[in-house]
Amino acid sequence: MLAVIVISIVLLVLAVLLLGVRVFFVKNGKFPNIHIGASQAMKERGIACATTQDREMQKNEKRLNSSDIVKDIIENN
């Protein structure tokens, strides 16, 4: 039973080290950016993630103020 636990811990540590080789052993190393928006091929096709597309759409929408709504109601009556 103890042997299985030790082997599991060793395999887990080995897996973490192998996954983080670039982070642990390269100066200023970091995980690669796999975000859709960071891909050059996706940028060329005009494809972005849903969050980015939503943010861009909200920037383009005209914001309504309560004074504009009241003014519009008064003008249409």
Side-chain angles (χ1 to χ4, degrees), residues 1-16:
M1 178 72 177
L2 184 62
V4 172
I5 293 174
V6 171
I7 291 172
S8 299
I9 291 173
V10 169
L11 288 175
L12 184 63
V13 169
L14 182 65
V16 169

Side-chain angles (χ1 to χ4, degrees), residues 5-76:
I5 293 174
V6 171
I7 291 172
S8 299
I9 291 173
V10 169
L11 288 175
L12 184 63
V13 169
L14 182 65
V16 169
L17 285 175
L18 289 175
L19 286 171
V21 165
R22 188 170 171 188
V23 176
F24 298 134
F25 301 114
V26 175
K27 186 174 182 177
N28 295 328
K30 54 185 172 183
F31 286 107
N33 187 358
I34 58 171
H35 192 265
I36 292 173
S39 170
Q40 187 61 35
M42 294 293 192
K43 285 181 185 178
E44 291 171 358
R45 295 182 180 135
I47 299 172
C49 71
T51 306
T52 304
Q53 289 178 341
D54 185 48
R55 187 179 325 118
E56 290 174 0
M57 292 299 294
Q58 288 181 5
K59 284 181 186 176
N60 296 334
E61 289 181 5
K62 181 183 175 188
R63 302 283 181 188
L64 292 177
N65 295 333
S66 59
S67 60
D68 292 338
I69 295 171
V70 171
K71 189 186 305 182
D72 190 37
I73 291 172
I74 292 172
E75 289 175 359
N76 289 331

